[in-house]
Amino acid sequence: MSDVTDGQMDAARASYDRCCKQAGFPEGFYEHFFRLSPQAEPLFAQTDFDKQVKLLRHALGSLLIFPKYRDQEPNLLTRVAERHSRQELDVDPSYYSVWVDALVATVQERDPEFTPAVEEAWRATVAAGVAYMQSKY
């Protein structure tokens, strides 16, 4: 995927702001994620979802600005990547593409201004962070 533009990053962040104003955004994300990847749901069996929602919001915020900091190490996602690596939670890198699809499906439901351009903005913006996460597995 080509590099993300500032315009795409701005569009994704604006979309995220709109989504956060809609009730149930994080819960909707997990519904989509578990439907698209039923094998992931048992990994969350002992999860405190109040805490998980806060972690999701932090991760999304980090992913949305990561392209500006991707050349720094450590960076905004270093600790998140370490936590998801084989040394800790052992989140297989194959889950990330489904995670992005679930995210986009949730944004499509929750963002009243969703368009194909907004979808592309999200996908382009989170791509660098997702690739970073996968590389740290």
Side-chain angles (χ1 to χ4, degrees):
M1 181 173 283
S2 63
D3 275 344
V4 61
T5 67
D6 287 343
Q8 287 173 313
M9 287 180 62
D10 291 345
R13 283 195 303 264
S15 172
Y16 181 54
D17 289 344
R18 291 188 298 270
C19 288
C20 288
K21 292 176 183 171
Q22 304 295 318
F25 177 74
E27 296 81 4
F29 164 76
Y30 285 107
E31 289 171 16
H32 281 289
F33 184 53
F34 296 151
R35 186 170 56 251
L36 292 172
S37 186
Q39 66 274 25
E41 190 168 7
L43 301 175
F44 289 82
Q46 303 301 318
T47 299
D48 173 347
F49 270 91
D50 288 335
K51 182 178 177 184
Q52 188 64 31
V53 164
K54 291 176 185 162
L55 292 171
L56 175 66
R57 288 186 189 279
H58 177 265
L60 288 172
S62 296
L63 280 169
L64 290 171
I65 60 173
F66 179 79
K68 290 194 178 285
Y69 302 97
R70 69 175 131 203
D71 295 329
Q72 297 176 9
E73 191 71 46
N75 58 56
L76 300 165
L77 290 178
T78 299
R79 181 63 195 121
V80 177
E82 289 169 353
R83 182 77 177 127
H84 288 78
S85 74
R86 66 175 53 89
Q87 287 77 29
E88 293 191 33
L89 293 175
D90 195 22
V91 175
D92 190 284
S94 66
Y95 283 116
Y96 290 102
S97 64
V98 177
W99 190 93
V100 171
D101 289 343
L103 176 61
V104 169
T106 309
V107 170
Q108 183 175 6
E109 279 182 355
R110 307 294 171 148
D111 180 355
E113 297 179 33
F114 185 86
T115 64
V118 168
E119 176 177 353
E120 181 54 32
W122 270 96
R123 289 185 184 277
T125 301
V126 302
V130 167
Y132 177 80
M133 297 282 295
Q134 290 171 317
S135 76
K136 298 299 182 181
Y137 179 69

